Amino acid sequence: MIDNHILAPIFVQLFTAIAQLMFWRKTVTQRFLSVGGSIIGLLVAIRLFTRVQADGILTMNAANWDAPFGIVFVADAFSATLVLLTSIAGVAVSLFSSVSLSRQRMLYGYFPIFHFLIMGLQGAFLTGDIFNLYVFFEVIIISSFVLMTLGGRKAQLEGAVKYMAMNILASMFFLTGIGILYGITGTLNMADLALKIQLVQNKTLVGITSCFFIIGFGIKSAVFPLYYWLPSSYHTPPSAVAATFGGLLTKVGIYALIRVLSLIFIPDDFTRTLLMGIAVMTIITGAFGALIKTNVRRLFSYLIVCHIGFMVGGIAMFTKIALMGTVFYLIHDIMVKTNMFLIAGLIRQLRGTLDMGKLGGLYRDYPKISLMIAIVLFSLVGIPPLSGFWPKIFLFQGAFEMHHYFFAAALIIGSFITLYVIAKMWSQVFWKNPPQEDLLDDRFAPMRPYRKLLMVLPILILGVVTLYVGLNAEAIINITDKISSQLMDNSEYIEAVLGDKTN
């Protein structure tokens, strides 16, 4: 079904960014515009999600050029769900940014760049053109690089160099793959590619081309052995920026990997074995990296790597049950990881440090806030019946059905280490007695009540969404079942885009 409102989530972010550029020196106005634009973007995303659930896959042909000759945008169950989750995270981060960032950083253009970043994410999820996917990836990279360097501190610049170097490398692999793909098929429309790639006689060249995409998206997703840039850079920018990065940027790489493998390069035995090996090593290295970290945000960064391995393992199995686990975990991970970095920002504002050795006593001083954070931490660990528990059931089921016992073992190891490091963090940050007062930074205390409320509110919003995902798992399972069915059988996607041309 054709629906021109598919572009609304992209345009809302674009116009919000442009409006803020008109008020470059007026940071208070920028804050209101950012929160207002994010809320409008959320309402538009809800409308798109409900339309897709009711009417099926929606398409929009830019300039009324029919596919595959023109640029097409597609909203299926998968992309609409991720647009909605991105919008929810965007509202939370926008609220948190309005009170956590200094005016100096806002004057550097934080809010316009933030909305350009969200625009790039929404565009990547909605485009049906492989080259446009690359274009939106570049929008994301440029925006994220600016956000990471905002303020110009030495640690930020060092992390940004590593981040940018690896992402440029990823873009080179991605663009090279696109060039080869266009050369052997003569099209860039992903639905059309799904049909024409089957006609290519040189299957070796097709396999090599798929490796370019796997490497490119693997770097962006921070998989083994290409993950080191993430824990080296995600702890350096402000917490609001790190929340956007941790919750969304690696997940767009996972989305692109799923989309390309389900439409264009259907995984063969070699690809599945390769991805499974990468998944197992990503889980192990991420988990053991988190074991030795004493800084809260560095610990969360390694947990991102570890849990990316969970999702890559589901992709590697490429069965319906495994993809249900991957998609469910993707939904859970976007909400929880965004929230974890916001929580880290709140802890820093309350105590002035993120070194667990210098923290303590948060439960004594802030019991209600601590209990709210505990629910998020339990969800991250996967305590039943919270959101992190349900996708692991599907991943374990898929692993045993496909006899991937090493992956099942890695899942167990990753889950137990996650439990251990989070329990250790809770003990040191919340339960133990606080250190001597002279170890704390008085610049961060006390906080004004309204400021504390506006920092806690986005954490509460994401916490409620996470709680809903866990306690209302049946509804989420129905959504993931629909998504995995469309991924396993791409005929509905192809017919929605190409119509009669599929014959």
Side-chain angles (χ1 to χ4, degrees), residues 207-216 218 223-226 257 261 267-282 309 312-317 404 407:
I208 294 172
T209 307
S210 70
C211 289
F212 279 99
F213 286 93
I214 291 172
I215 294 171
V223 301
F224 177 88
L226 309 167
L257 190 61
L261 290 179
D268 55 16
D269 291 339
F270 171 78
T271 304
R272 294 186 183 197
T273 303
L274 174 65
L275 289 174
M276 185 56 70
I278 290 172
V280 171
M281 292 304 300
T282 302
V312 174
I315 299 170
M317 289 182 280
H404 287 298
F407 177 66

Side-chain angles (χ1 to χ4, degrees), residues 270-336:
F270 171 78
T271 304
R272 294 186 183 197
T273 303
L274 174 65
L275 289 174
M276 185 56 70
I278 290 172
V280 171
M281 292 304 300
T282 302
I283 294 171
I284 298 300
T285 52
F288 282 99
L291 271 176
I292 60 174
K293 296 303 171 187
T294 58
N295 180 283
V296 174
R297 274 172 50 178
R298 282 182 178 269
L299 185 152
F300 291 162
S301 296
Y302 272 99
L303 288 182
I304 290 175
V305 175
C306 174
H307 299 158
I308 284 293
F310 291 4
M311 291 176 268
V312 174
I315 299 170
M317 289 182 280
F318 210 78
T319 61
K320 182 177 178 179
I321 197 73
L323 286 178
M324 285 180 66
T326 295
V327 174
F328 200 136
Y329 207 95
L330 188 61
I331 294 170
H332 148 82
D333 208 59
I334 288 174
M335 292 294 97
V336 170

Side-chain angles (χ1 to χ4, degrees), residues 12-13 15 57 80 88 100 106 116 213 215 267 274 301 326 346 444 462:
V12 167
Q13 302 300 328
F15 294 146
I57 299 175
I88 295 171
S100 67
M106 294 180 188
F116 279 126
F213 286 93
I215 294 171
L274 174 65
S301 296
T326 295
L346 177 62
F444 293 87
L462 294 180

Side-chain angles (χ1 to χ4, degrees), residues 139-339:
V139 172
I140 294 169
I141 291 173
I142 294 169
S143 302
S144 57
F145 180 73
V146 174
L147 290 177
M148 186 168 283
T149 57
L150 214 61
R153 292 187 296 116
K154 180 180 178 181
Q156 285 182 256
L157 295 176
E158 182 181 350
V161 169
K162 297 174 183 177
Y163 172 83
M164 199 64 183
M166 291 304 295
N167 275 276
I168 289 175
L169 181 63
S171 295
M172 289 172 59
F173 277 103
F174 187 11
L175 190 59
T176 302
I178 291 174
I180 299 172
L181 200 58
Y182 183 74
I184 60 179
T185 62
T187 184
L188 294 171
N189 181 283
M190 287 193 279
D192 199 34
L193 280 168
L195 298 176
K196 292 187 176 178
I197 199 73
Q198 301 174 24
L199 305 177
V200 177
Q201 298 296 320
N202 192 341
K203 299 303 180 185
T204 302
L205 182 58
V206 172
I208 294 172
T209 307
S210 70
C211 289
F212 279 99
F213 286 93
I214 291 172
I215 294 171
F217 297 147
I219 294 173
K220 293 178 185 294
S221 302
V223 301
F224 177 88
L226 309 167
Y227 68 90
Y228 74 90
W229 60 268
L230 190 151
S232 298
S233 57
Y234 273 26
H235 69 284
T236 58
S239 293
V241 176
T244 310
F245 288 7
L248 296 170
L249 291 199
T250 51
K251 311 311 178 299
V252 75
I254 293 293
Y255 164 81
L257 190 61
I258 294 173
R259 181 66 76 193
V260 167
L261 290 179
S262 63
L263 269 178
I264 305 170
F265 305 106
I266 307 301
D268 55 16
D269 291 339
F270 171 78
T271 304
R272 294 186 183 197
T273 303
L274 174 65
L275 289 174
M276 185 56 70
I278 290 172
V280 171
M281 292 304 300
T282 302
I283 294 171
I284 298 300
T285 52
F288 282 99
L291 271 176
I292 60 174
K293 296 303 171 187
T294 58
N295 180 283
V296 174
R297 274 172 50 178
R298 282 182 178 269
L299 185 152
F300 291 162
S301 296
Y302 272 99
L303 288 182
I304 290 175
V305 175
C306 174
H307 299 158
I308 284 293
F310 291 4
M311 291 176 268
V312 174
I315 299 170
M317 289 182 280
F318 210 78
T319 61
K320 182 177 178 179
I321 197 73
L323 286 178
M324 285 180 66
T326 295
V327 174
F328 200 136
Y329 207 95
L330 188 61
I331 294 170
H332 148 82
D333 208 59
I334 288 174
M335 292 294 97
V336 170
K337 290 302 194 305
T338 303
N339 212 357

Side-chain angles (χ1 to χ4, degrees), residues 336-352:
V336 170
K337 290 302 194 305
T338 303
N339 212 357
M340 295 307 297
F341 282 93
L342 295 185
I343 289 169
L346 177 62
I347 292 171
R348 175 160 171 74
Q349 289 293 331
L350 294 174
R351 287 292 194 256

